[in-house]
Amino acid sequence: MVAVEVAWARVLGSSVSLGSWVPTLDPSEVEAAGNPVLPLVSALRSKVSETVHTGLTSQDVLDTAFMLLARDVLARVSADLERVAAALARLAGEHRDSVMAGRTLTQFAVPITFGLKAARWLAGVLDSLDELEAVSRNLPVQCGGAAGTLSRAASVVDPVAAASSFAGYLGLVWPGMPWHTYRAPVTRLGDELVRVCSVLGVLAADVLTLGRPEIGEVGEGAVAGRGGSSTMPHKRNPVLSVLVNSAALQAPQLGAQLHLCAARAVDERPDGAWHAEWPALRSLLELAVVAASQAAELVEGLEVHEDVMARRAEAAAGELLAEAGGGEDVTAYLGAAGSFVDEVLKRWEVRRGD
């Protein structure tokens, strides 16, 4: 929020320089104002003599600050998803022909390969990376003044040019008009954060299932001090998978909350719907950035027990080859699995510039 106020001050012709200063706001004043911007502006005006905030409204500052936070989060999420993608591409290539039992509705289906499973995970991550880039390029500045007309700003500057300059100072996009009650920028951002959590959730849930002791086809890498139990000394719980899965289970309801708020964005500033966005969006940003980091560590250290996979597939050949009319060689009934793996790996190679 301080960065937003400084950028607008420059638009107004003020040369405000605050260094690393961050005010301490009184919670009672924040509550009395209904948001933290009025106390912030009071603190700014007590510190500097230059013009600040004139022409903006609280929503301009908060919405723009959220876009700056989102930009940082999306950059961190993208960096960790690149790590996830690199690790999955390695697993898909190494296990392109590692046969395992395919399962549908929890039961044996037909043979697949672990490389195909890793490639499916990778395809979802690559889709998310593409979509994150699109969202990041279009994060908008909010600049409308009291009721979306920039009337106060117009008394001191060219309002449209000022809004465009404001966006330029912050590295955001000026969308052409304020979006005080058009919340697509928030719901679009929220939807992509939910999608990231969902993509990683599928991966985590598969690891949790395949890592059960009675299956034992994969496992989280061992890290000293991680996964212990307060009462059972034998436990090595798959903590990373559990936490990523937890994020995936929480995110959709937060995304839905943002859409509910968007549908109630009435008048020129809504009476509570905007305020209800804040905790939901903040939680989504936190969930996505943490889950992506945890998923990167999970996949980079994933243990793949291809011998266990092969033995189980061979033992279940009767069921896995039932569609084919029977047989014993599960490796002979993999269809286009290898080609599908290759196609996803080509996409990864293009992304890397190889």
Side-chain angles (χ1 to χ4, degrees):
M1 290 190 294
V2 171
V4 172
E5 292 287 2
V6 168
W8 184 248
R10 290 177 180 171
V11 170
L12 297 176
S14 300
S15 56
V16 174
S17 179
L18 296 171
S20 59
W21 176 80
V22 177
T24 300
L25 305 184
D26 185 335
S28 63
E29 293 181 4
V30 173
E31 182 179 15
N35 68 68
V37 177
L38 178 56
L40 169 64
V41 172
S42 297
L44 276 171
R45 286 175 173 161
S46 68
K47 184 173 179 63
V48 302
S49 58
E50 293 95 334
T51 301
V52 296
H53 192 73
T54 300
L56 290 186
T57 192
S58 295
Q59 187 171 0
D60 295 332
V61 179
L62 273 171
D63 281 350
T64 303
F66 260 120
M67 293 300 107
L68 295 179
L69 289 172
R71 181 176 63 192
D72 291 345
V73 165
L74 295 182
R76 290 177 60 182
V77 170
S78 294
D80 281 326
L81 289 187
E82 292 280 359
R83 290 173 55 198
V84 173
L88 289 177
R90 173 180 55 79
L91 290 171
E94 290 176 357
H95 297 283
R96 180 184 184 277
D97 302 313
S98 298
V99 70
M100 66 180 293
R103 299 169 174 91
T104 60
L105 304 180
T106 76
Q107 304 299 301
F108 288 140
V110 297
I112 63 168
T113 65
F114 184 72
L116 179 62
K117 185 174 286 291
R120 286 172 179 158
W121 295 336
L122 175 57
V125 172
L126 293 176
D127 284 347
S128 279
L129 280 167
D130 289 344
E131 291 159 10
L132 283 171
E133 289 172 359
V135 171
S136 297
R137 286 195 301 269
N138 292 288
L139 292 173
V141 74
Q142 180 71 278
C143 190
T149 64
L150 281 175
S151 50
R152 181 69 179 89
S155 67
V156 291
V157 291
D158 179 324
V160 176
S164 182
S165 296
F166 185 38
Y169 278 125
L170 293 169
L172 298 173
V173 173
W174 167 237
M177 66 180 298
W179 43 280
H180 288 163
T181 55
Y182 173 62
R183 307 308 289 169
V186 173
T187 55
R188 189 179 300 119
L189 169 62
D191 289 346
E192 186 48 41
L193 296 170
V194 172
R195 179 177 175 82
V196 167
C197 291
S198 297
V199 165
L200 299 178
V202 169
L203 188 161
D206 273 346
V207 171
L208 288 169
T209 297
L210 297 177
R212 287 175 175 269
E214 61 270 28
I215 298 177
E217 295 179 355
V218 301
E220 285 193 12
V223 174
R226 176 182 291 161
S229 166
S230 63
T231 183
M232 293 171 283
H234 70 284
K235 294 289 289 295
R236 181 158 71 86
N237 294 315
V239 174
L240 294 174
S241 302
V242 168
L243 294 175
V244 173
N245 193 41
S246 171
L249 295 173
Q250 295 176 67
Q253 304 308 316
L254 295 169
Q257 177 68 37
L258 295 179
H259 280 277
L260 178 61
C261 293
R264 295 294 300 152
V266 297
D267 298 326
E268 281 58 61
R269 184 160 307 108
D271 50 352
W274 172 54
H275 307 72
E277 281 181 0
W278 308 340
L281 182 54
R282 175 178 173 177
S283 294
L284 263 178
L285 290 166
E286 291 175 344
L287 281 174
V289 77
V290 174
S293 175
Q294 292 166 336
E297 187 174 354
L298 166 63
V299 179
E300 287 171 347
L302 191 67
E303 299 171 352
V304 180
H305 307 303
E306 57 184 320
D307 55 334
V308 177
M309 294 176 179
R311 287 198 302 270
R312 177 163 290 112
E314 291 166 4
E319 295 170 79
L320 295 174
L321 297 175
E323 181 188 68
E328 296 181 356
D329 184 4
V330 290
T331 65
Y333 198 66
L334 294 171
S339 297
F340 295 150
V341 172
D342 294 342
E343 285 301 309
V344 179
L345 289 178
K346 286 178 186 176
R347 184 179 169 190
W348 167 243
E349 290 164 2
V350 169
R351 182 176 185 83
R352 290 194 311 171
D354 292 351

